[in-house]
Amino acid sequence: MLNRTTILAGVAAFGCGAVPAIAQKSNEVVTVVKVTGENWFTRMEEGVRAYGEENEGVETRQVGPGRADAAQQSAMIQDLVAQNVDALAIVPMDPSALEGVLRRAMARGITVITHEADNLQNTQIDLEAFDNAEFGAHFAEQIAECMNHEGKWTSFVGSVGSLTHVQWADGGAAYMEQHDGIELVSPKNESFNDANQAYEAAREIIRSHPDIKGFQGGSAIDVIGIGRAIEEAGLEDETCVYGLGLPQDTGAYLETGAVDGIAFWDPKDAGYVMNILAEMALNGEEVTDGMDLGVPGYENVSVTDGPGEGVIVRGQAWVDVDASNYDEFPF
């Protein structure tokens, strides 16, 4: 990763010649995630902390509610707005639930960066690791091939308010429409980012559709719950399970074949890049199409207009993992 001096090399110097040494106030950037304690966001916090440690003039920290709940997250953000922090970097549980509080934050001069929220109007920059419809179609393509292009399949999401999860499910469903022999049943099962809830939902689907073949996971822990249910039912050889996940979390299920494959973007890198974008915005720097942000998967970002006054920054950051390579990743 590049440090702030490299990333912000284009920022104009303040004045010319020697100036008296003046104590500069550090910018405070607070990253707010969907839930604290989930391994995905524990990994993201590594990137948040690394950015603060590697760059002078900015203080970084990460917070999140104790459970994946949009109302709790909104209340936490309201408190940070009242504290008048310099910038917020937010991974919304439900983007639509945050429009009001983020509008107030920006009205107070707080910089707002978001992630996994390309429908938000009240954000200055939304960061996406890739095109979300393509990501969902990628899972569906793998599932379809594994199913020999026939049979029943289903999809999971953290919640129907979790925008990217829904986009992946919809992208998968759109891809599957080309296969007449494939049937979508019980779409968008909600796990609320809880492996036990994903497990219970998968068990119910197996009971209701004993001939089910395909599962697409949305939340990073969905494949864990689905894999557990598949193992208990002894269906490792009859099912095809693909979805978002972390290698070390899902490794045991990849080994047994209860989960066939996962893909992810490194949340550490996403946390780091959100803080790069926050400091760029605070310094009046513009992120431009094709810019190299100095982080793997974000070396040639695309920049498009968002639904509001802000922009959407997209990388090319997903990684495919299966039983053959999951142990190459330390998280």
Side-chain angles (χ1 to χ4, degrees):
M1 293 179 180
L2 303 182
N3 62 26
R4 177 175 177 269
T5 302
T6 304
I7 293 294
L8 302 181
V11 179
F14 176 78
C16 299
V19 295
I22 301 173
Q24 298 293 319
K25 172 186 176 292
S26 293
N27 286 320
E28 183 181 15
V29 181
V30 183
T31 301
V32 186
V33 297
K34 296 179 183 179
V35 59
T36 293
E38 184 181 307
N39 285 348
W40 184 272
F41 295 114
T42 299
R43 175 70 175 175
M44 180 170 282
E45 189 170 16
E46 293 181 29
V48 171
R49 289 180 174 175
Y51 189 79
E53 290 168 358
E54 294 171 12
N55 294 280
E56 296 180 0
V58 60
E59 297 177 2
T60 64
R61 60 188 172 100
Q62 179 173 299
V63 299
R67 61 186 178 91
D69 180 81
Q72 286 191 23
Q73 188 184 47
S74 179
M76 183 169 285
I77 294 169
Q78 290 178 44
D79 183 57
L80 290 167
V81 172
Q83 295 175 33
N84 204 35
V85 299
D86 296 292
L88 293 165
I90 303 167
V91 188
M93 183 66 189
D94 181 350
S96 63
L98 298 183
E99 291 283 17
V101 65
L102 296 186
R103 182 170 57 250
R104 292 191 293 275
M106 294 190 348
R108 295 187 63 164
I110 297 173
T111 293
V112 174
I113 309 297
T114 51
H115 181 46
E116 297 188 66
D118 64 10
N119 66 335
L120 260 175
Q121 295 195 32
N122 291 287
T123 180
Q124 286 154 272
I125 303 172
D126 178 67
L127 173 68
E128 301 294 322
F130 37 69
D131 181 279
N132 289 302
E134 291 179 4
F135 191 58
H138 177 64
F139 285 136
E141 182 180 12
Q142 294 173 300
I143 293 167
E145 183 174 341
C146 176
M147 292 170 56
N148 293 318
H149 305 102
E150 62 179 7
K152 296 178 179 177
W153 76 292
T154 190
S155 58
F156 280 61
V157 296
S159 76
V160 293
S162 296
L163 175 66
T164 51
H165 299 183
V166 171
Q167 290 173 324
W168 304 337
D170 288 343
Y175 176 86
M176 290 296 202
E177 288 178 358
Q178 67 186 291
H179 299 293
D180 294 336
I182 294 180
E183 178 187 359
L184 176 61
V185 297
S186 185
K188 299 174 187 172
N189 299 277
E190 293 182 289
S191 68
F192 297 100
N193 293 56
D194 185 317
N196 288 326
Q197 292 200 45
Y199 162 73
E200 293 294 347
R203 287 184 66 197
E204 180 57 35
I205 290 168
I206 292 169
R207 282 194 293 265
S208 301
H209 303 278
D211 56 347
I212 188 83
K213 287 186 178 181
F215 293 80
Q216 178 175 318
S219 163
I221 53 75
D222 286 347
V223 290
I224 299 172
I226 295 167
R228 178 184 165 197
I230 295 296
E231 278 193 354
E232 286 189 1
L235 295 174
E236 294 94 331
D237 295 332
E238 284 76 41
T239 54
C240 304
V241 180
Y242 289 85
L244 183 70
L246 288 179
Q248 295 305 310
D249 284 351
T250 53
Y253 295 108
L254 291 167
E255 289 279 6
T256 65
V259 175
D260 296 273
I262 60 172
F264 65 92
W265 68 103
D266 190 341
K268 178 180 179 180
D269 290 343
Y272 195 96
V273 172
M274 278 196 290
N275 278 265
I276 289 175
L277 296 174
E279 193 173 15
M280 288 180 70
L282 285 166
N283 288 332
E285 282 287 288
E286 181 183 2
V287 58
T288 57
D289 198 56
M291 181 176 279
D292 181 357
L293 296 177
V295 177
Y298 305 91
E299 301 100 333
N300 181 24
V301 297
S302 68
V303 180
T304 57
D305 291 336
E309 297 298 317
V311 297
I312 300 170
V313 175
R314 290 185 176 90
Q316 308 86 26
W318 89 56
V319 179
D320 287 314
V321 168
D322 59 22
S324 70
N325 66 340
Y326 80 87
D327 57 356
E328 297 175 9
F329 299 90
F331 52 88

